[in-house]
Amino acid sequence: MSIENQLQQFPVRLRAAFAACCAERLLPAYHLYCARLKLPRLLEQRLELVWSFVLGTKPAPPASQIQAMFESDSQSLIPPDQRGTEYAQDAAISILYALLSLAPSNPSDVEGPVSAARHVTDALDRYIARHVGIQPDDPKYAEQVTNHEVLLSEVARQRRDLNELQHLLSQKDQWSPTLNTLRDRATTERLYFLGQ
């Protein structure tokens, strides 16, 4: 089953949990960018807002407020498009899509969590290509990048998270322990090598 199809079965809270797990793993790239330029970590507050909703400690803000934050932050907080900021860009965009997952435009809208996950794999694609020394126009690019253990590990983490969230659908009253575990694990699985 595709990620999109699986996510469409989830309520907003579980979709947001998946998106937050993905964004959490990319957070070190955003931290490094902010530290280099001595910027406040404003997007980290957005990710914390998502986690607060996922863990049930706070309700989600109204959809109009989330959309306004998404649009404003997209203009002001995503690192500029220049060499050396690619991983931070993906981290920032992943966080913003995790935020957007709190306010889907319709019941089947999974753009937020799908895009949050895609930006993690995009960052890893670039990392692998850079470290293997292969260009996107190389005929072996797809094979070397797609089959690299770094990317395969992330895809496996995303599948594992989806499967655990799927399991929660039958345990509606007992979500909190699993959601807390997912957050803790995503924090320990941060991709620190992207922040170097």
Side-chain angles (χ1 to χ4, degrees), residues 90-169:
D90 282 318
I93 294 168
S94 185
I95 292 168
L96 289 174
Y97 274 112
L99 175 67
L100 192 62
S101 70
L102 299 179
S105 62
N106 62 63
S108 64
D109 177 15
V110 292
E111 177 187 13
V114 168
S115 295
R118 187 181 65 247
H119 280 280
V120 178
T121 57
D122 287 352
L124 293 175
D125 281 354
R126 274 192 289 286
Y127 173 83
I128 294 163
R130 190 170 287 156
H131 284 80
V132 170
I134 192 166
Q135 297 298 318
D137 59 352
D138 188 309
K140 296 182 181 180
Y141 179 87
E143 177 186 335
Q144 287 192 4
V145 171
T146 305
N147 294 324
H148 196 281
E149 91 176 74
V150 169
L151 185 60
L152 292 174
S153 294
E154 176 57 26
V155 170
R157 284 188 289 268
Q158 290 181 12
R159 281 280 161 212
R160 177 205 59 209
D161 292 346
L162 284 169
N163 290 336
E164 289 180 18
L165 291 166
Q166 182 81 40
H167 182 71
L168 286 181
L169 292 175

Side-chain angles (χ1 to χ4, degrees), residues 36-50:
R36 283 184 183 154
L37 299 180
K38 297 183 170 97
L39 297 173
R41 297 176 177 178
L42 297 177
L43 283 175
E44 193 168 0
Q45 295 170 8
R46 300 297 193 229
L47 184 55
E48 188 56 40
L49 178 82
V50 177

Side-chain angles (χ1 to χ4, degrees), residues 13-82:
R13 187 174 173 198
L14 298 186
R15 291 176 188 179
F18 175 73
C21 286
C22 293
E24 188 74 45
R25 288 193 283 271
L26 269 186
L27 203 53
Y30 178 69
H31 285 172
L32 180 65
Y33 172 78
C34 290
R36 283 184 183 154
L37 299 180
K38 297 183 170 97
L39 297 173
R41 297 176 177 178
L42 297 177
L43 283 175
E44 193 168 0
Q45 295 170 8
R46 300 297 193 229
L47 184 55
E48 188 56 40
L49 178 82
V50 177
W51 280 120
S52 294
F53 169 72
V54 166
L55 299 176
T57 58
K58 290 184 183 175
S64 59
Q65 186 180 348
I66 290 170
Q67 190 65 42
M69 284 188 277
F70 179 83
E71 290 172 12
S72 170
D73 292 351
S74 294
Q75 297 298 316
S76 62
L77 299 178
I78 294 176
D81 192 14
Q82 60 192 30

